[in-house]
Amino acid sequence: MLPIIDVKELVVSFGETDVVKSVSFDIMPGETLGIVGESGSGKSVTSLSLMRLLDNSGSIRSGIISYRNKKNEQLIINRLSENQMRALRGADMAMIFQEPMTSLNPVLRCGQQVMEAIRVHNKISRKEARERTLALFEKVRLPRARQIIDAWPHQLSGGQKQRVMIAMAISCNPRLLIADEPTTALDVTVQKEILELLLGLQEEYGMSMIFITHDLGVTTDIAHRVLVMHQGEVVESGKTNDLFSHPSHPYTKGLIACRPPVNNRLRRLPVVSDFLSGNCNILEQEENTISKHQREEHHKQLYAGDPLMRVEGLSKIYEQSGGWRKHKITAVDQVSFEVYAGETLGLVGESGCGKTTLGRCLLRLIEPSQGRIWFDGQEITAMNPSTLRTIRKSMQIVFQDPYSSLNPRMSIGDAISEPMRVHGLYRNRSACKKRMEDLLTQVGLPISSAGRLPHEFSGGQRQRIVIARALAVNPRFLICDESVSALDVSVQAQILNLLNDLKKENGLTYIFISHDLSVVKYMSDRMLVMNRGRIEESGDPDQIFAFPTSPYTSKLIDAIPGKANSYK
Amino acid sequence: MIRYFLHRVGYGILVLAGIAIILGLLFFTYLNNNNQAIYEMTGQNTSAAEIERIRDEYHMNKPVLIQLALYLNDLSPLAYHSHSPNSNLYFKPDSYHGFRIIPIGNQEGFFLKAPYLRRSYQTQALVGSTLLQCLPGTLILALSAMILASILGIFFGIVSTWTYGRWPDKFLLFISTLGMSLPSFFIAIVFSWLFGYVWHAHTGLNPWGNLFVIDDYTGQSNIVLKNLILPSVTLGIRPLAVIMQLTRNNLYDVMSSDYIRTARSKGLGTISVILKHALRNALNPVITAISGWLGSLLAGAVFVEYIFGWRGLGREMVNGLQKLDYPVVMGSILTIATMFVLINLLVDLLYGVMDPRIRR
């Protein structure tokens, strides 16, 4: 059998820099190739160059991409004219993108966009195209296909939009489907459905598929073969099972190891740099795992004391004016729980379950509609604004997006010192500066970075800065709201380790909010599972994972990618 | 959608009321303390008794707030009036157009009427009907200038995006920057002189002229469309340049969005990607700009109207100001404000048409 796509020594550059450096691979008909790598590894650029969809600034410098079309003719993609290329796009090769929210044109109806794709390549009437679109919508299992065909994209959920995208991609029976992180922006349960749909369609249409992802778990579920990319190069490739059971390259090893394991508990997560520098031995020793006994002892101590925070019957109801009547949306519904000093309380749930609203209500960044909150014996919900400001000194929050939570025009040093100045913690400048430098060292950044601006730092470094800023006022209580969700797995491991170190050094208490079950399980002493504003289940994460009592929790656990063949 | 529209209409009426109140406070305060306007009416040698009589006739001797209340009552379509000639609220049959709908007592009651903008100090003509005569001239001029600017501006914007960074784009950018930086009074004079005088034999255009020209022999008024060309081109140049650059910049931004990549991945060509997918998403800021320009053209075509001898609101307002003919000035300002509110209303509806996410 001949490969459908054969890439030889592909080099793609943006300006002077090579983003993809001599990459070679091939794909057989009906095969799924997984491309795994972190942001900036060149995996998306590689796939975009297969369809010649790079921006104007990027270009294929050298190499050959050959493609075998439906008539079994060999075409050299990078030598085709733009017109020839257009005939291939959509008809022979189709693509699904990462962000379903932005990948559909907001001003055109969903049906129109799929019909357009059909009519570009087939000379058929509008009516016929509409019929075909309806059939496709049913094939991708969109509910109420007849309504969705005339719906606007903003009226659909993320998963539904991605289904519309898939319908569009398969509308002309392509031979190759490129899926660029198609499930990254979706909830785990939706991700599972989409993956199953893609697998089914691939079998039915006999398509080849390139599946790009940063999530190793997803790859094991879907790909026959895997390509691991790092800084524009392929560091390792092979059959999925072989590669994950016997990784040979240190980077692959690191990437596999740095994901929080579901089966055992580690003191520290290994990070990729440990493997690349070759001193990963320490981490594999027995000392790094926390035994069941140790954990129980620790918990006995933790839960002996009084709770640091107590929440009783907390609700948040939003009123939305639409039409003639006001809609009421209950984001948080009668939630009660305690947080003990020194513990990490995990809060997990899908998007829209109310976990972020709950986190913000605790600091009264959002005013709760009902319920009472006590912190350290004082009732937060009854405080006037000035006492609230003083208590906020001991309660801080770290948000999800490290890119937008720093003022781009303020130097790092100023950003960290600002809360100290606002709360008047230090009388003189030099003490303030000293503290700022201590904080930088604590979060693992050089003191020399104080004068630099946020854009000079990577995502992980920025999250360190944000954490330092939160710690500046010596809080006792820290809410981490999806603080690692925007980061690559290897960076995520570093930040999780940092959070645990800081907790130990400063005696902090965390509420750790995330949609990622395995991360929450790794971090927390106790865990709350939220669904539709209510707490579905709470308890020790190990216990919950082993014996989930609510069907919702077991559905969530079941949807963790790569769980079926969990890699070691 | 209807609810949204009614909301907007309500806001519009509030805005107009606010403007009327501010206008009234400013002008009546001035008139109360100053006889300049009366001298403009009757000359410098008016006797004190005569001045007092005029002040009384025009209510200038009353407190400012009373004057304001009377003015607002005159403006409001539903207002309190009296049939008695002795009343301050006398419903003069030759000035007001309307009728009593809710009688209170014998003479008084609530009247439904056309807004009354009072009479000119200078000519005693009804301000409302004077403005109504000028309004079509200004409207036609502003609209034709804006239509020209919008169509050409968007077209050149598309061309510019299509050839982004290459010579047609660079050339268009250069020309549009030039167009933006030329003041309209200067362009007006140059165009009038060049096309209307120097090259008159080739263009056949007049250096000045109104849309309606009265035939000297028959007394009939004829529409002379070619007189519209020079003033509307002159007025349109700056908005054209702005619209072109705005379209270009927005279109270029939109072209890097994810859904454009989706459209390209379907196999669409550049032109259809721009026209079918990008343009509608890029036009909202352009529409805002167009509406803003249209509003200011209605108000600020003064120079161009003046130089080309075009009869319109701007010219009327400047004349009113020179003669301290306050009813005319206030009436013009209110008319312009009303046009602004109407345009904004239209634009709000247009946003809804262009972008389904705004619709409710």
Side-chain angles (χ1 to χ4, degrees):
Chain A
M1 216 165 22
L2 290 165
I4 167 165
I5 279 264
D6 195 356
V7 178
K8 284 214 170 68
E9 290 169 6
L10 177 70
V11 179
V12 184
S13 48
F14 282 77
E16 290 297 301
T17 37
D18 291 347
V19 178
V20 173
K21 302 161 191 163
S22 190
V23 163
S24 306
F25 62 91
D26 56 11
I27 302 157
M28 292 294 164
E31 186 187 39
T32 301
L33 177 74
I35 302 185
V36 182
E38 297 182 289
S39 46
S41 62
K43 56 191 194 304
S44 287
V45 173
T46 307
S47 65
L48 285 172
S49 34
L50 292 190
M51 283 181 78
R52 294 233 320 249
L53 281 176
L54 292 167
D55 306 347
N56 294 332
S57 48
S59 61
I60 299 175
R61 177 91 75 79
S62 65
I64 290 173
I65 305 169
S66 60
Y67 168 74
R68 200 167 288 278
N69 70 2
K70 287 175 179 168
K71 293 172 205 145
N72 210 20
E73 295 163 342
Q74 185 104 353
L75 302 172
I76 308 295
I77 296 267
N78 42 344
R79 288 184 198 146
L80 293 181
S81 73
E82 186 57 29
N83 278 341
Q84 287 171 306
M85 203 55 226
R86 255 168 43 205
L88 283 185
R89 282 185 206 133
D92 276 54
M93 312 162 133
M95 196 156 177
I96 312 167
F97 302 97
Q98 172 168 4
E99 278 294 335
M101 305 296 164
T102 55
S103 293
L104 289 173
N105 192 336
V107 303
L108 296 176
R109 293 176 198 273
C110 296
Q112 264 176 304
Q113 303 193 41
V114 180
M115 281 157 64
E116 187 186 26
I118 299 174
R119 293 187 66 200
V120 172
H121 299 287
N122 301 293
K123 287 202 168 61
I124 56 171
S125 70
R126 265 181 171 280
K127 213 176 144 215
E128 211 174 323
R130 196 181 156 86
E131 287 305 311
R132 276 206 213 176
T133 305
L134 265 179
L136 281 167
F137 276 5
E138 269 152 28
K139 184 152 269 166
V140 297
R141 283 178 248 142
L142 271 168
R144 295 173 285 113
R146 280 185 188 280
Q147 281 171 33
I148 286 186
I149 199 168
D150 289 322
W152 302 103
H154 70 273
Q155 295 169 325
L156 306 189
S157 71
Q160 287 173 334
K161 279 186 215 174
Q162 203 58 296
R163 282 173 201 268
V164 173
M165 277 299 290
I166 294 173
M168 192 190 293
I170 60 168
S171 61
C172 299
N173 303 335
R175 301 191 71 204
L176 174 68
L177 180 67
I178 303 176
D180 186 357
E181 305 249 14
T183 56
T184 307
L186 305 174
D187 279 324
V188 270
T189 48
V190 183
Q191 161 168 300
K192 194 177 174 209
E193 289 166 17
I194 297 282
L195 289 180
E196 279 165 4
L197 174 69
L198 280 175
L199 280 174
L201 289 173
Q202 186 194 15
E203 208 157 296
E204 187 180 336
Y205 285 78
M207 295 181 289
S208 304
M209 187 151 76
I210 297 183
F211 197 95
I212 297 160
T213 178
H214 70 281
D215 189 337
L216 294 160
V218 174
T219 334
T220 57
D221 284 350
I222 199 162
H224 301 119
R225 264 191 316 138
V226 178
L227 218 61
V228 182
M229 285 189 75
H230 180 51
Q231 293 177 355
E233 286 173 86
V234 175
V235 294
E236 194 167 356
S237 67
K239 285 224 168 66
T240 311
N241 287 337
D242 296 349
L243 192 123
F244 283 114
S245 47
H246 307 289
S248 61
H249 194 276
Y251 177 75
T252 319
K253 286 183 189 165
L255 214 53
I256 293 171
C258 68
R259 259 196 79 95
V262 184
N263 303 330
N264 55 342
R265 284 201 166 265
L266 300 178
R267 261 179 228 288
R268 282 190 77 76
L269 286 173
V271 289
V272 171
S273 55
D274 291 337
F275 287 89
L276 289 179
S277 60
N279 60 350
C280 53
N281 306 336
I282 325 142
L283 296 158
E284 284 172 359
Q285 284 169 8
E286 275 299 297
E287 295 162 25
N288 196 29
T289 46
I290 305 171
S291 72
K292 213 173 168 204
H293 177 68
Q294 283 170 323
R295 193 169 153 83
E296 276 168 5
E297 282 298 305
H298 177 60
H299 282 180
K300 230 178 249 172
Q301 268 181 356
L302 266 185
Y303 299 121
D306 286 330
L308 178 68
M309 177 183 260
R310 201 145 60 82
V311 179
E312 237 179 58
L314 188 76
S315 295
K316 176 67 195 176
I317 296 158
Y318 286 107
E319 282 190 355
Q320 208 178 37
S321 55
W324 296 98
R325 274 187 312 159
K326 279 194 171 160
H327 291 282
K328 282 189 175 171
I329 296 167
T330 312
V332 177
D333 191 5
Q334 296 289 332
V335 167
S336 306
F337 61 90
E338 283 109 39
V339 188
Y340 289 84
E343 81 166 331
T344 301
L345 178 70
L347 189 57
V348 75
E350 294 184 291
S351 53
C353 74
K355 54 187 194 300
T356 295
T357 310
L358 175 60
R360 290 180 191 187
C361 278
L362 294 182
L363 299 191
R364 272 181 68 190
L365 292 174
I366 298 175
E367 276 309 316
S369 316
Q370 274 171 32
R372 303 165 82 180
I373 305 163
W374 287 269
F375 180 77
D376 203 15
Q378 292 166 282
E379 188 175 344
I380 294 180
T381 32
M383 277 178 188
N384 60 24
S386 65
T387 32
L388 186 65
R389 257 200 299 282
T390 42
I391 198 96
R392 280 214 185 120
K393 226 168 35 176
S394 11
M395 310 165 77
Q396 288 289 313
I397 189 163
V398 177
F399 295 109
Q400 169 170 7
D401 192 350
Y403 292 90
S404 58
S405 42
L406 286 169
N407 182 344
R409 290 172 200 280
M410 200 186 241
S411 78
I412 298 314
D414 287 343
I416 297 175
S417 324
E418 195 186 27
M420 298 189 243
R421 279 205 300 275
V422 169
H423 285 284
L425 288 189
Y426 298 96
R427 277 294 151 102
N428 55 19
R429 279 178 161 274
S430 61
C432 188
K433 187 161 176 267
K434 173 93 182 30
R435 171 80 180 133
M436 183 266 289
E437 288 173 354
D438 285 349
L439 283 165
L440 278 178
T441 329
Q442 255 193 337
V443 298
L445 288 173
I447 294 173
S448 58
S449 56
R452 287 157 64 192
L453 290 172
H455 70 89
E456 299 174 55
F457 295 89
S458 69
Q461 287 172 323
R462 281 186 220 206
Q463 204 58 296
R464 285 171 193 269
I465 295 160
V466 175
I467 291 171
R469 184 176 61 179
L471 293 180
V473 292
N474 299 317
R476 299 163 59 195
F477 179 73
L478 197 63
I479 296 180
C480 303
D481 186 3
E482 298 272 14
S483 307
V484 294
S485 312
L487 306 175
D488 279 323
V489 268
S490 61
V491 182
Q492 167 180 298
Q494 293 169 13
I495 298 291
L496 291 179
N497 284 340
L498 173 70
L499 283 172
N500 276 335
D501 292 346
L502 290 172
K503 185 182 164 187
K504 219 177 288 168
E505 284 166 35
N506 302 326
L508 295 170
T509 306
Y510 288 153
I511 288 189
F512 191 89
I513 302 173
S514 177
H515 68 283
D516 190 330
L517 270 155
S518 45
V519 171
V520 172
K521 177 178 181 288
Y522 170 72
M523 288 298 282
S524 30
D525 297 299
R526 266 187 323 137
M527 161 169 128
L528 306 177
V529 182
M530 263 187 104
N531 183 22
R532 297 181 183 188
R534 288 173 173 276
I535 292 178
E536 279 273 340
E537 194 164 356
S538 65
D540 184 356
D542 290 347
Q543 188 70 24
I544 292 180
F545 262 68
F547 308 105
T549 55
S550 104
Y552 177 74
T553 317
S554 37
K555 195 174 123 199
L556 273 186
I557 294 173
D558 204 40
I560 297 179
K563 197 171 169 290
N565 32 354
S566 70
Y567 40 90
K568 297 264 159 54
Chain B
M1 195 68 191
I2 292 168
R3 196 178 135 91
Y4 170 73
F5 181 69
L6 291 179
H7 251 273
R8 292 277 145 183
V9 172
Y11 275 122
I13 291 171
L14 276 183
V15 166
L16 287 179
I19 291 170
I21 289 172
I22 293 171
L23 265 183
L25 283 177
L26 284 174
F27 283 73
F28 295 137
T29 313
Y30 178 77
L31 289 174
N32 247 16
N33 304 325
N34 201 313
N35 291 333
Q36 202 61 44
I38 300 171
Y39 290 132
E40 284 286 344
M41 276 185 243
T42 56
Q44 293 291 336
N45 301 324
T46 321
S47 69
E50 178 68 4
I51 288 181
E52 225 20 70
R53 195 194 61 74
I54 294 175
R55 280 177 70 91
D56 189 53
E57 187 189 335
Y58 290 102
H59 306 306
M60 287 180 205
N61 51 1
K62 294 202 172 62
V64 171
L65 288 179
I66 303 282
Q67 288 193 55
L68 178 65
L70 288 173
Y71 187 63
L72 290 180
N73 197 48
D74 277 348
L75 288 181
S76 165
L78 181 70
Y80 193 78
H81 285 288
S82 166
H83 278 309
S84 151
N86 301 325
S87 165
N88 280 335
L89 297 166
Y90 177 45
F91 196 77
K92 238 190 218 165
D94 62 338
S95 299
Y96 293 85
H97 303 283
F99 47 86
R100 188 158 70 157
I101 50 165
I102 308 169
I104 297 171
N106 201 11
Q107 303 272 335
E108 299 174 354
F110 282 99
F111 285 68
L112 198 65
K113 63 168 202 297
Y116 175 52
L117 292 170
R118 302 197 167 165
R119 284 174 183 276
S120 160
Y121 288 171
Q122 292 293 324
T123 60
Q124 294 302 316
L126 284 169
V127 171
S129 46
T130 315
L131 292 181
L132 224 56
Q133 279 171 17
C134 311
L135 196 58
T138 296
L139 265 183
I140 289 171
L141 182 58
L143 275 177
S144 52
M146 271 329 284
I147 290 171
L148 182 85
S150 309
I151 293 175
L152 288 182
I154 292 172
F155 174 74
F156 285 130
I158 293 172
V159 172
S160 206
T161 316
W162 188 31
T163 58
Y164 198 89
R166 284 178 278 150
W167 70 263
D169 174 41
K170 285 180 180 158
F171 176 72
L172 282 170
L173 261 188
F174 173 72
I175 294 289
S176 65
T177 312
L178 199 69
M180 251 191 265
S181 45
L182 290 171
S184 60
F185 57 86
F186 173 68
I187 287 276
I189 294 169
V190 171
F191 273 25
S192 169
W193 177 65
L194 279 181
F195 294 100
Y197 180 73
V198 180
W199 294 325
H200 175 76
H202 307 286
T203 58
L205 298 173
N206 303 321
W208 57 82
N210 201 7
L211 184 60
F212 301 99
V213 174
I214 294 166
D215 194 298
D216 291 340
Y217 298 104
T218 60
Q220 256 183 331
S221 99
N222 299 319
I223 296 180
V224 185
L225 271 179
K226 70 173 182 185
N227 281 348
L228 181 63
I229 297 173
L230 281 183
S232 61
V233 168
T234 312
L235 262 188
I237 282 182
R238 290 183 72 193
L240 192 156
V242 171
I243 290 169
M244 185 230 126
Q245 294 211 352
L246 218 76
T247 309
R248 170 183 181 269
N249 295 344
N250 280 300
L251 211 48
Y252 187 73
D253 280 350
V254 168
M255 286 303 277
S256 61
S257 29
D258 289 352
Y259 52 82
I260 297 301
R261 195 176 50 187
T262 308
R264 287 177 62 209
S265 80
K266 289 180 201 173
L268 292 178
T270 317
I271 298 277
S272 32
V273 168
I274 292 182
L275 293 182
K276 284 189 192 161
H277 289 266
L279 195 57
R280 266 179 75 181
N281 283 291
L283 278 190
N284 266 0
V286 179
I287 292 174
T288 314
I290 290 176
S291 70
W293 273 99
L294 187 56
S296 52
L297 287 195
L298 287 174
V302 181
F303 287 118
V304 174
E305 285 182 7
Y306 211 84
I307 288 164
F308 288 101
W310 187 270
R311 192 172 174 213
L313 266 185
R315 222 181 56 167
E316 208 62 34
M317 187 161 72
V318 171
N319 288 340
L321 270 173
Q322 276 174 349
K323 297 274 164 72
L324 300 182
D325 198 348
Y326 289 109
V328 174
V329 178
M330 291 167 84
S332 313
I333 294 176
L334 280 174
T335 312
I336 290 166
T338 313
M339 301 310 295
F340 252 102
V341 168
L342 285 178
I343 290 167
N344 275 322
L345 209 61
L346 211 71
V347 168
D348 280 338
L349 289 180
L350 211 55
Y351 284 150
V353 173
M354 300 294 283
D355 192 337
R357 287 168 297 182
I358 296 172
R359 284 175 224 165
R360 291 282 180 87

Tab-separated table of all heavy atoms in Angstrom, chain A residues 181-207:
chain	number	residue	atom	x	y	z
A	181	GLU	N	-6.208	19.967	17.417
A	181	GLU	CA	-6.697	20.136	18.788
A	181	GLU	C	-8.221	20.311	18.820
A	181	GLU	O	-8.719	21.250	19.418
A	181	GLU	CB	-6.054	21.375	19.431
A	181	GLU	CG	-4.551	21.370	19.407
A	181	GLU	CD	-3.947	21.202	20.785
A	181	GLU	OE1	-4.689	20.832	21.709
A	181	GLU	OE2	-2.736	21.422	20.916
A	182	PRO	N	-8.972	19.389	18.197
A	182	PRO	CA	-10.404	19.651	18.040
A	182	PRO	C	-11.169	19.589	19.359
A	182	PRO	O	-12.299	20.046	19.432
A	182	PRO	CB	-10.867	18.526	17.114
A	182	PRO	CG	-9.902	17.433	17.349
A	182	PRO	CD	-8.594	18.073	17.671
A	183	THR	N	-10.583	19.023	20.405
A	183	THR	CA	-11.359	18.851	21.633
A	183	THR	C	-10.769	19.620	22.809
A	183	THR	O	-11.283	19.552	23.919
A	183	THR	CB	-11.412	17.361	22.013
A	183	THR	OG1	-10.075	16.873	22.133
A	183	THR	CG2	-12.153	16.551	20.989
A	184	THR	N	-9.699	20.381	22.559
A	184	THR	CA	-9.004	21.038	23.671
A	184	THR	C	-9.903	22.024	24.400
A	184	THR	O	-9.829	22.171	25.617
A	184	THR	CB	-7.759	21.767	23.137
A	184	THR	OG1	-7.014	20.829	22.388
A	184	THR	CG2	-6.908	22.288	24.253
A	185	ALA	N	-10.762	22.723	23.657
A	185	ALA	CA	-11.586	23.751	24.287
A	185	ALA	C	-12.872	23.188	24.876
A	185	ALA	O	-13.707	23.923	25.357
A	185	ALA	CB	-11.907	24.841	23.269
A	186	LEU	N	-13.032	21.876	24.835
A	186	LEU	CA	-14.310	21.295	25.253
A	186	LEU	C	-14.185	20.590	26.606
A	186	LEU	O	-13.102	20.214	27.023
A	186	LEU	CB	-14.787	20.291	24.197
A	186	LEU	CG	-14.902	20.821	22.770
A	186	LEU	CD1	-15.238	19.701	21.817
A	186	LEU	CD2	-15.955	21.910	22.681
A	187	ASP	N	-15.321	20.404	27.248
A	187	ASP	CA	-15.347	19.649	28.492
A	187	ASP	C	-14.998	18.190	28.237
A	187	ASP	O	-15.196	17.683	27.136
A	187	ASP	CB	-16.761	19.706	29.090
A	187	ASP	CG	-16.983	20.984	29.841
A	187	ASP	OD1	-16.028	21.454	30.478
A	187	ASP	OD2	-18.093	21.522	29.792
A	188	VAL	N	-14.514	17.495	29.279
A	188	VAL	CA	-14.079	16.105	29.081
A	188	VAL	C	-15.184	15.207	28.550
A	188	VAL	O	-14.939	14.380	27.667
A	188	VAL	CB	-13.521	15.453	30.369
A	188	VAL	CG1	-12.041	15.680	30.466
A	188	VAL	CG2	-14.248	15.894	31.593
A	189	THR	N	-16.400	15.386	29.063
A	189	THR	CA	-17.465	14.483	28.614
A	189	THR	C	-17.800	14.738	27.147
A	189	THR	O	-18.036	13.806	26.386
A	189	THR	CB	-18.729	14.663	29.465
A	189	THR	OG1	-19.013	16.052	29.566
A	189	THR	CG2	-18.539	14.112	30.853
A	190	VAL	N	-17.788	16.022	26.768
A	190	VAL	CA	-18.053	16.366	25.361
A	190	VAL	C	-16.900	15.875	24.504
A	190	VAL	O	-17.095	15.343	23.406
A	190	VAL	CB	-18.228	17.886	25.206
A	190	VAL	CG1	-18.575	18.224	23.780
A	190	VAL	CG2	-19.288	18.390	26.150
A	191	GLN	N	-15.679	16.031	25.018
A	191	GLN	CA	-14.503	15.566	24.302
A	191	GLN	C	-14.631	14.094	23.959
A	191	GLN	O	-14.358	13.666	22.846
A	191	GLN	CB	-13.268	15.795	25.175
A	191	GLN	CG	-12.063	14.977	24.774
A	191	GLN	CD	-10.814	15.443	25.458
A	191	GLN	OE1	-10.406	16.583	25.308
A	191	GLN	NE2	-10.201	14.578	26.225
A	192	LYS	N	-15.103	13.319	24.933
A	192	LYS	CA	-15.230	11.885	24.723
A	192	LYS	C	-16.214	11.608	23.580
A	192	LYS	O	-15.938	10.804	22.688
A	192	LYS	CB	-15.712	11.226	26.008
A	192	LYS	CG	-15.543	9.740	25.976
A	192	LYS	CD	-15.960	9.110	27.283
A	192	LYS	CE	-15.912	7.610	27.144
A	192	LYS	NZ	-16.871	6.954	27.998
A	193	GLU	N	-17.347	12.321	23.588
A	193	GLU	CA	-18.335	12.113	22.527
A	193	GLU	C	-17.769	12.462	21.159
A	193	GLU	O	-17.969	11.741	20.177
A	193	GLU	CB	-19.572	12.983	22.787
A	193	GLU	CG	-20.418	12.532	23.957
A	193	GLU	CD	-21.409	13.597	24.383
A	193	GLU	OE1	-21.667	14.530	23.582
A	193	GLU	OE2	-21.894	13.524	25.516
A	194	ILE	N	-17.043	13.572	21.105
A	194	ILE	CA	-16.488	14.001	19.818
A	194	ILE	C	-15.454	12.996	19.315
A	194	ILE	O	-15.416	12.649	18.131
A	194	ILE	CB	-15.863	15.411	19.938
A	194	ILE	CG1	-16.921	16.451	20.303
A	194	ILE	CG2	-15.118	15.807	18.685
A	194	ILE	CD1	-17.797	16.896	19.168
A	195	LEU	N	-14.623	12.505	20.219
A	195	LEU	CA	-13.614	11.526	19.815
A	195	LEU	C	-14.286	10.264	19.261
A	195	LEU	O	-13.870	9.732	18.226
A	195	LEU	CB	-12.721	11.151	21.000
A	195	LEU	CG	-11.750	12.232	21.475
A	195	LEU	CD1	-10.927	11.723	22.641
A	195	LEU	CD2	-10.842	12.662	20.338
A	196	GLU	N	-15.337	9.825	19.952
A	196	GLU	CA	-16.042	8.634	19.480
A	196	GLU	C	-16.656	8.869	18.100
A	196	GLU	O	-16.592	8.018	17.216
A	196	GLU	CB	-17.146	8.243	20.479
A	196	GLU	CG	-16.590	7.455	21.649
A	196	GLU	CD	-17.561	7.364	22.812
A	196	GLU	OE1	-18.704	7.847	22.685
A	196	GLU	OE2	-17.159	6.818	23.860
A	197	LEU	N	-17.208	10.080	17.930
A	197	LEU	CA	-17.797	10.430	16.635
A	197	LEU	C	-16.743	10.381	15.539
A	197	LEU	O	-16.960	9.783	14.470
A	197	LEU	CB	-18.416	11.825	16.719
A	197	LEU	CG	-18.940	12.396	15.415
A	197	LEU	CD1	-20.156	11.618	14.962
A	197	LEU	CD2	-19.275	13.860	15.554
A	198	LEU	N	-15.586	10.976	15.806
A	198	LEU	CA	-14.523	11.019	14.800
A	198	LEU	C	-14.074	9.608	14.439
A	198	LEU	O	-13.886	9.287	13.259
A	198	LEU	CB	-13.333	11.831	15.322
A	198	LEU	CG	-13.488	13.347	15.224
A	198	LEU	CD1	-12.304	14.045	15.878
A	198	LEU	CD2	-13.603	13.788	13.774
A	199	LEU	N	-13.906	8.762	15.455
A	199	LEU	CA	-13.479	7.388	15.192
A	199	LEU	C	-14.494	6.668	14.313
A	199	LEU	O	-14.119	5.981	13.359
A	199	LEU	CB	-13.304	6.642	16.514
A	199	LEU	CG	-11.991	6.916	17.247
A	199	LEU	CD1	-11.981	6.233	18.607
A	199	LEU	CD2	-10.818	6.444	16.406
A	200	GLY	N	-15.779	6.859	14.637
A	200	GLY	CA	-16.831	6.204	13.853
A	200	GLY	C	-16.829	6.677	12.413
A	200	GLY	O	-16.905	5.866	11.471
A	201	LEU	N	-16.709	7.999	12.225
A	201	LEU	CA	-16.738	8.558	10.876
A	201	LEU	C	-15.542	8.086	10.076
A	201	LEU	O	-15.644	7.794	8.889
A	201	LEU	CB	-16.738	10.090	10.945
A	201	LEU	CG	-18.031	10.729	11.441
A	201	LEU	CD1	-17.824	12.216	11.624
A	201	LEU	CD2	-19.162	10.477	10.461
A	202	GLN	N	-14.384	8.011	10.737
A	202	GLN	CA	-13.176	7.599	10.039
A	202	GLN	C	-13.352	6.187	9.478
A	202	GLN	O	-13.003	5.913	8.345
A	202	GLN	CB	-11.999	7.640	11.000
A	202	GLN	CG	-10.699	7.363	10.273
A	202	GLN	CD	-9.589	7.054	11.239
A	202	GLN	OE1	-9.828	6.781	12.410
A	202	GLN	NE2	-8.374	7.135	10.762
A	203	GLU	N	-13.933	5.325	10.292
A	203	GLU	CA	-14.146	3.958	9.859
A	203	GLU	C	-15.121	3.916	8.679
A	203	GLU	O	-14.887	3.272	7.674
A	203	GLU	CB	-14.710	3.155	11.018
A	203	GLU	CG	-14.359	1.688	10.964
A	203	GLU	CD	-14.454	1.093	12.344
A	203	GLU	OE1	-13.664	1.505	13.228
A	203	GLU	OE2	-15.333	0.263	12.549
A	204	GLU	N	-16.210	4.697	8.811
A	204	GLU	CA	-17.249	4.683	7.797
A	204	GLU	C	-16.729	5.210	6.455
A	204	GLU	O	-17.015	4.653	5.403
A	204	GLU	CB	-18.422	5.530	8.290
A	204	GLU	CG	-19.633	5.458	7.381
A	204	GLU	CD	-20.760	6.319	7.905
A	204	GLU	OE1	-20.792	6.587	9.120
A	204	GLU	OE2	-21.578	6.741	7.077
A	205	TYR	N	-15.962	6.299	6.502
A	205	TYR	CA	-15.509	6.935	5.259
A	205	TYR	C	-14.152	6.413	4.799
A	205	TYR	O	-13.689	6.762	3.725
A	205	TYR	CB	-15.401	8.440	5.459
A	205	TYR	CG	-16.729	9.159	5.479
A	205	TYR	CD1	-17.544	9.137	6.598
A	205	TYR	CD2	-17.150	9.891	4.368
A	205	TYR	CE1	-18.750	9.800	6.615
A	205	TYR	CE2	-18.364	10.558	4.381
A	205	TYR	CZ	-19.161	10.509	5.500
A	205	TYR	OH	-20.338	11.167	5.503
A	206	GLY	N	-13.483	5.631	5.640
A	206	GLY	CA	-12.145	5.165	5.302
A	206	GLY	C	-11.131	6.280	5.130
A	206	GLY	O	-10.250	6.216	4.284
A	207	MET	N	-11.306	7.343	5.939
A	207	MET	CA	-10.397	8.489	5.808
A	207	MET	C	-9.093	8.204	6.540
A	207	MET	O	-9.052	7.441	7.492
A	207	MET	CB	-10.993	9.731	6.504
A	207	MET	CG	-12.242	10.273	5.918
A	207	MET	SD	-12.752	11.738	6.850
A	207	MET	CE	-13.306	11.038	8.390
